[in-house]
Amino acid sequence: MTARELLAQGGYTVVLCRDGVTYTDTRRGVAPLLALLDSATDVAGFAAADKVVGKAAAFLYLRLGVAAVHAAVISTPAYDLLTANGVSVTYDTLVPAIRNRAGDGYCPMETVTLPLTDPAEAETAIRKRLVELQVTH
């Protein structure tokens, strides 16, 4: 079964597959991708399917070395970043930017990564922003 098929079945927010090896997660946001990075799980060359891919997630997918990403929803900056770096991208819906969960502005992860171009710098900015969000909420 493909990552896209598993995601479509519901229950997961992120699915990564390659050669019969599958990783799934149900957490929202960038948490599943950061967990893979933190655990040094080798998913280079994997195909990913994700419910929402903004530029922050796109940077993390580059850090993880995935070969392909399917997104239910993807932002234009995320699409542009992935395709410019040789990642195959398919999607159901393309949006100008990812909205925050309240729907009254942009996602804070999208906002913090929009001006960035370097994946390592972006990962640092994402982690810093997550800490700031935890302090304020």
Side-chain angles (χ1 to χ4, degrees):
M1 190 169 290
T2 68
R4 187 174 177 176
E5 290 167 340
L6 282 169
L7 186 73
Q9 286 183 349
Y12 301 118
T13 54
V14 176
V15 179
L16 293 101
C17 295
R18 180 180 180 196
D19 299 333
V21 177
T22 302
Y23 295 99
T24 60
D25 208 305
T26 58
R27 291 173 286 180
R28 293 169 56 170
V30 294
L33 305 181
L34 290 172
L36 286 168
L37 286 165
D38 290 344
S39 67
T41 302
D42 183 6
V43 293
F46 274 58
D50 197 321
K51 286 194 171 210
V52 179
V53 178
K55 193 170 182 187
F59 273 123
L60 298 178
Y61 278 123
L62 291 179
R63 299 279 287 160
L64 289 164
V66 301
V69 174
H70 173 77
V73 175
I74 190 168
S75 71
T76 301
Y79 178 85
D80 292 345
L81 177 67
L82 290 168
T83 56
N85 284 277
V87 177
S88 173
V89 179
T90 58
Y91 58 85
D92 297 327
T93 305
L94 180 67
V95 296
I98 302 302
R99 307 289 292 172
N100 63 21
R101 291 183 184 149
D104 58 4
Y106 292 134
C107 164
M109 296 298 120
E110 186 93 341
T111 302
V112 78
T113 56
L114 274 176
L116 304 179
T117 57
D118 178 67
E121 183 184 353
E123 182 182 343
T124 300
I126 291 163
R127 291 180 186 277
K128 180 180 177 193
R129 186 70 178 117
L130 283 172
V131 169
E132 292 168 358
L133 288 170
Q134 289 170 350
V135 170
T136 61
H137 287 97

